[in-house]
């Protein structure tokens, strides 16, 4: 089964756009996708603060044969310096993604429960028992 691991940089204080521009120049990266929180579908249960609308919700950059992903933290949230890198595991099936998520949460800590989102049939964030943060992302199944 195909599985892909990608570094994911979480930036405090709205620095994702600066980081994207920096790595685009320094590492000759090419931005493949970028979306702000304001461009995402609205969720009436969680109204979007004005301060978050222009922040980067998700971006993807191609650097050589590798991919690097980015996001700003949501207003009021921070990640410690040096702890802002997670590993995004991209998995083609929801069942396998759930299995890996469950295994990683054993002895670890769930940050965001595994669930369906507007961008994935199955997504969650977990820190494993070694303190390594993972984002588990199921690829969209298009029929």
């Amino acid at each position: 089964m195909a599985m892909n691991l990608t570094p994911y940089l979480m930036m405090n204080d709205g620095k994702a756009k600066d980081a994207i521009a920096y790595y685009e120049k320094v590492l000759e990266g090419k931005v493949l996708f970028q979306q702000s929180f304001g461009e995402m579908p609205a969720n009436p249960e969680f109204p979007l603060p004005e301060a978050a609308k222009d922040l980067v919700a998700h971006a993807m950059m191609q650097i050589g044969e590798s991919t690097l992903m980015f996001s700003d933290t949501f207003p009021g949230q921070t990640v410690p310096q040096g702890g802002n890198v997670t590993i995004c595991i991209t998995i083609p099936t929801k069942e396998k993604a759930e299995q890996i998520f469950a295994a990683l949460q054993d002895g670890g800590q769930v940050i965001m429960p595994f669930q369906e989102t507007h961008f994935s049939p199955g997504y969650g964030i977990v820190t494993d028992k070694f303190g390594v943060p993972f984002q588990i992302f199921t690829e969209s199944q298009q029929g």
Side-chain angles (χ1 to χ4, degrees), residues 6-7 9 16-34 58-70:
T6 305
L9 307 179
K17 286 180 185 175
D18 293 341
I20 291 165
Y22 176 77
Y23 293 123
E24 191 173 27
K25 179 180 178 183
V26 172
L27 301 176
E28 300 177 358
K30 180 181 180 203
V31 176
L32 303 175
F33 177 83
Q34 186 170 325
H58 179 68
M60 184 181 300
M61 177 181 290
Q62 185 77 37
I63 302 170
E65 298 296 315
S66 301
T67 303
L68 189 58
M69 296 180 183
F70 301 84

Side-chain angles (χ1 to χ4, degrees), residues 5-9 59 66-70 84-88 135:
L5 278 65
T6 305
Y8 200 115
L9 307 179
S66 301
T67 303
L68 189 58
M69 296 180 183
F70 301 84
N84 57 336
V85 178
T86 63
I87 298 171
C88 182
Q135 296 183 48

